[in-house]
Amino acid sequence: MRAGQKLYDNNAVQVALFPLEGFHISQRDDETFSHNPSRYWATDYLGWGDDGRILRCPCYAPVDIKCIWLNKTNCVAVWESLDKVHLANGQLDYLTILFMHCNNPPYTKVGTVVKQGQLCYRTGSFGYVTGDHTHTCCGKGTYQ
């Protein structure tokens, strides 16, 4: 997605978009390093553009989301959609999404709301990482 981009269906329900304009997968959810499926499912994405890799790549809110859990020390944030949205699998449900390793996030506390298409964070290198990327986990339903 691009800055300011929004998408709604004919009933004014938001459609979840992918938060990066371009990407390259650096680690899938079924690899053995830190994405062992016995622990959790996640994918690492590098920011990617027409000329290759983009460091500190801007990442945009895929829908209207609210920060519901935050660990600033490890740069981890969990966000939840404000309403039910259209998910990639075609279902209508809440979107819960976790981002890790982000640099200079604009949010400062739990409760912050970011609207679809607004800058949410930038890819980064905080924590145990080998380089600039975003570590992303998403799921349907509300965070519990």
Side-chain angles (χ1 to χ4, degrees):
M1 74 184 296
R2 294 184 167 86
Q5 187 175 1
K6 297 176 183 180
L7 185 60
Y8 295 88
D9 71 7
N10 292 337
N11 296 314
V13 176
Q14 284 188 325
V15 176
L17 299 172
F18 189 78
L20 296 164
E21 185 173 337
F23 66 91
H24 178 82
I25 296 174
S26 62
Q27 188 176 182
R28 297 183 320 255
D29 58 11
D30 59 351
E31 294 190 13
T32 57
F33 180 59
S34 63
H35 296 188
N36 186 328
S38 66
R39 295 175 56 205
Y40 59 87
W41 296 89
T43 302
D44 287 348
Y45 299 97
L46 307 176
W48 209 262
D50 292 338
D51 298 324
R53 190 165 180 189
I54 301 171
L55 299 178
R56 307 300 183 264
C57 182
C59 302
Y60 306 102
V63 294
D64 293 350
I65 54 177
K66 180 179 180 178
C67 182
I68 58 169
W69 186 84
L70 179 63
N71 181 319
K72 288 185 180 181
T73 303
N74 295 314
C75 238
V76 181
V78 176
W79 299 81
E80 186 177 281
S81 62
L82 300 180
D83 297 303
K84 289 184 177 182
V85 298
H86 286 284
L87 304 173
N89 65 3
Q91 293 181 349
L92 185 65
D93 206 336
Y94 288 91
L95 171 68
T96 299
I97 190 163
L98 173 145
F99 297 118
M100 282 179 78
H101 311 306
C102 53
N103 280 18
N104 303 319
Y107 56 85
T108 57
K109 62 185 178 197
V110 169
T112 299
V113 173
V114 181
K115 297 292 188 175
Q116 185 179 41
Q118 291 182 333
L119 180 66
C120 186
Y121 67 97
R122 293 182 180 273
T123 61
S125 54
F126 281 100
Y128 299 107
V129 298
T130 57
D132 181 273
H133 72 283
T134 180
H135 174 102
T136 306
C137 304
C138 21
K140 66 178 186 172
T142 57
Y143 181 75
Q144 297 177 21

